[in-house]
Amino acid sequence: EVQLVESGGGSVQAGGSLRLSCKASGIYWFEYCMAWFRQAPGNEREGVAYLESSGRTTYADSVKDRFTISKDNAENTLYLQMDSLKSEDTATYFCAADRWVCAGNSMRHWGQGTQVTVSS
């Protein structure tokens, strides 16, 4: 059974940084696409960053050059380093996983989410 547990959310001032963590169990890292999504109130859930099984990373234009997705295989943990945070980054952030493919909002496994609030 795949389980994803996020942590690291919180409140920060604009320009600050946060690092989100997603502890994963039940997956083989080399077979899975891992990703971070976010959803703000009244908005659709959007993909923020993807880490393909090949190691390739892709980012939404809105976070490019500010956010970095990475993983620690030994710790079975996915990270999202968020720098130069803006008020528009305020959202609930979700970790997601799917075997082999990055399926966007149709990804098979999801965490419970962690809240990020950025004040200006």
Side-chain angles (χ1 to χ4, degrees), residues 1 21 24 27 41 43 52 56-57 83 86 88 91 104 114 117 119:
E1 180 186 4
S21 300
I27 68 170
N43 290 359
E52 298 176 27
R56 181 186 179 210
T57 58
D83 298 319
K86 305 175 181 179
E88 51 262 44
T114 186
T117 302
S119 57

Side-chain angles (χ1 to χ4, degrees), residues 87-106:
S87 57
E88 51 262 44
D89 295 318
T90 295
T92 301
Y93 284 72
F94 299 89
C95 174
D98 208 342
R99 196 158 179 254
W100 297 120
V101 296
C102 295
N105 277 306
S106 298

Side-chain angles (χ1 to χ4, degrees), residues 74-89:
E75 296 294 327
N76 292 327
T77 302
L78 180 75
Y79 298 102
L80 184 69
Q81 177 66 41
M82 305 186 294
D83 298 319
S84 302
L85 282 161
K86 305 175 181 179
S87 57
E88 51 262 44
D89 295 318

Side-chain angles (χ1 to χ4, degrees), residues 12-20 38 46-49 57-70 79-91 93 116-119:
V12 65
Q13 288 192 328
S17 298
L18 280 175
R19 188 177 76 161
L20 305 183
R38 68 185 180 187
E46 62 171 345
V48 172
T57 58
T58 55
Y59 297 90
D61 286 343
S62 58
V63 307
K64 204 171 291 184
D65 299 325
R66 298 189 298 121
F67 289 11
T68 303
I69 188 171
S70 63
Y79 298 102
L80 184 69
Q81 177 66 41
M82 305 186 294
D83 298 319
S84 302
L85 282 161
K86 305 175 181 179
S87 57
E88 51 262 44
D89 295 318
T90 295
Y93 284 72
V116 171
T117 302
V118 183
S119 57

